[in-house]
DNA sequence: TGAAAAATCATGCTTTTATAGGATTGATCC
DNA sequence: GGATCAATCCTATAAAAGCATGATTTTTCA
């Protein structure tokens, strides 16, 4: 359900002129509530809407003016990473700020690659969040990740870019299908499946299925 | 049952007599803030403390009286599942309520097994949360999971009980080691490693490594 | 419209897993 | 003190995955 404080092209609430209009996209009401609560008493900041999935988020952006969209990395329908890309394509003037549980280099680079202006881990404090808004609104970038909890040795430097087919194969592998079964499912030959599989191993910089699935699971790809 | 509202002879904070004293353990300030905010205006409920990891949580419980502890499943140091067990061992009078992002049968049964009185998914609304507190404080159980997003066909009914050796092998498999490499690492024969591996497949009710790792990753085992 | 990327398929070989069917030694628990 | 379970080891075979080295055909897009 979309929470519309502002809707239909014009803004009903002009209590704070010049305030930064913020849309929060997260499927956890607690996080929504927490952010709203933290931003409620902040000067020059106004949460104009919230959404719990990508569809709602896009719908809201179509009908409302938003300066900064906070995007959760893990959403029920599509990943925040993909949503970020969509948002920047359809609403290039909207700045995006990634919200994530994880402090991982891989996520960050991928989000930035997709046009995000910043990256906030959910364990950020109020100061960080306000600082991020200020920076981003001013056209800058913000990220407070430290990468202290070093990414495991098996982790790739970035989230590999996967093709449509590779994603499909990856999902089917994770579901426990063997190459012959995947081939049957996708109406392609076993050797083709195997090619995609090898490409996945190369892109993830691993040497077997176990590592592949572990990484992909950790990245929320499956 | 200990009457915790009247213990120690006197109560330092009598602002709200009979109020349920709550400790929230979650490593995300946003979630903490969200919950506090949601509970702030609720009658008969008082958030007496928050902790962002298991150590802090245990320390707080040693020095304070708490009726219900909200435990996040994913904590930085140990898993909420293990923390739940510890809490029930050391402070049996404290009721625990699991907080999780996931709507998974496996987590629930594991938490209940470890003494939790309830299970709340983070996408719960205010009503659910208050209802949970009421139920649990009255000595009952609460859980609002629906398992609607049906657990994948490959999911086991419960988190399988793994032996020490099986856990070790599982972790090494996930790290990408092959049977010969694991054997070398653990100073046992390849056939033994293979036995443990087969037992893992049987316990998780899967037929290959990919499914195994996906499940184990989803359950936070690796 | 041409280059680049993706998807398709192939052969041959090696290594690893999966599956089946065992057996033996300790430890733990009623 | 017998039962149970964990951990160890074994043989043997089939299936699958991993690795190398290709090639052809679509698609995409600048």
């Amino acid at each position: 359900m979309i929470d519309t404080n502002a809707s239909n092209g014009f803004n009903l609430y002009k209590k704070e002129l010049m305030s930064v209009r913020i849309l929060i996209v997260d499927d956890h009401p607690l996080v929504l509530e927490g952010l709203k609560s933290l931003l409620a008493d902040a000067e020059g900041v106004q949460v104009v809407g919230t959404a719990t999935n990508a569809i709602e988020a896009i719908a809201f952006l179509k009908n409302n003016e938003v300066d900064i969209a906070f995007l959760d990395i893990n959403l029920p329908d599509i990943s925040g990473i993909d949503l970020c890309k969509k948002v920047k394509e359809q609403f290039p003037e909207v700045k995006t700020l990634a919200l994530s549980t994880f402090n991982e280099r891989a996520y960050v680079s991928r989000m930035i690659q997709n046009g995000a202006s910043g990256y906030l881990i959910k364990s950020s404090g109020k100061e960080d969040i306000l600082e991020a808004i200020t920076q981003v609104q001013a056209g800058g970038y913000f990220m407070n990740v430290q990468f202290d909890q070093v990414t495991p040795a098996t982790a790739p430097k970035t989230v590999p870019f996967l093709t449509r087919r590779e994603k499909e194969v990856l999902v089917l592998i994770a579901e426990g299908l063997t190459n012959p079964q995947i081939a049957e499912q996708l109406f392609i030959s076993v050797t083709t499946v195997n090619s995609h599989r090898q490409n996945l191993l190369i892109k993830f910089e691993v040497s077997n299925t176990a590592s592949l699935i572990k990484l992909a699971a950790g990245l929320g790809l499956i």
Side-chain angles (χ1 to χ4, degrees), chain A:
Chain A
M1 215 50 67
I2 301 175
D3 174 0
T4 50
N5 281 331
S7 59
N8 293 346
F10 52 88
N11 201 325
L12 289 170
Y13 300 91
K14 299 212 174 185
K15 278 175 285 183
E16 297 196 38
L17 274 178
M18 306 294 293
S19 72
V20 181
R21 291 159 301 185
I22 292 177
L23 165 67
I24 309 174
V25 186
D26 198 307
D27 61 325
H28 305 307
L30 288 181
V31 173
L32 289 180
E33 187 65 30
L35 253 179
K36 278 207 287 188
S37 164
L38 278 173
L39 298 178
D41 50 339
E43 294 265 323
V45 173
Q46 198 184 351
V47 177
V48 295
T50 60
T52 58
N53 61 49
I55 308 281
E56 283 179 21
I58 296 285
F60 186 88
L61 288 169
K62 276 193 181 133
N63 298 313
N64 300 275
E65 301 247 325
V66 167
D67 296 310
I68 302 179
F70 280 74
L71 306 180
D72 182 23
I73 295 262
N74 302 296
L75 289 172
D77 38 7
I78 66 169
S79 88
I81 294 172
D82 291 337
L83 175 59
C84 182
K85 197 175 179 182
K86 279 200 167 53
V87 168
K88 295 306 286 187
E89 278 167 12
Q90 294 182 40
F91 315 96
E93 77 285 0
V94 175
K95 300 181 187 74
T96 54
L97 237 167
L99 261 182
S100 168
T101 311
F102 308 107
N103 194 358
E104 285 216 5
R105 198 180 297 268
Y107 286 99
V108 181
S109 79
R110 191 63 181 281
M111 283 300 287
I112 300 300
Q113 195 180 317
N114 281 357
S117 294
Y119 189 99
L120 267 177
I121 49 174
K122 287 187 184 172
S123 48
S124 306
K126 186 174 181 174
E127 302 71 30
D128 277 345
I129 296 171
L130 291 175
E131 173 68 14
I133 292 172
T134 308
Q135 286 288 330
V136 169
Q137 183 61 7
Y141 286 83
F142 180 92
M143 61 193 64
N144 65 344
V145 282
Q146 259 120 42
F147 307 127
D148 41 8
Q149 57 199 42
V150 184
T151 44
T154 49
K157 286 86 207 151
T158 61
V159 177
F161 169 75
L162 302 184
T163 68
R164 187 194 99 247
R165 224 31 167 178
E166 284 162 0
K167 281 181 198 164
E168 286 175 0
V169 171
L170 174 59
V171 168
L172 294 175
I173 292 172
E175 283 177 9
L177 302 204
T178 64
N179 284 348
Q181 290 170 329
I182 294 171
E184 197 181 356
Q185 182 107 348
L186 298 179
F187 303 106
I188 56 180
S189 95
V190 179
T191 61
T192 305
V193 175
N194 199 46
S195 290
H196 292 310
R197 189 173 196 133
Q198 299 311 317
N199 287 334
L200 284 167
L201 294 181
I202 292 167
K203 288 189 177 179
F204 278 88
E205 297 174 15
V206 295
S207 61
N208 62 30
T209 302
S211 305
L212 174 68
I213 298 301
K214 184 193 172 191
L215 272 182
L219 294 171
L221 263 36
I222 50 180

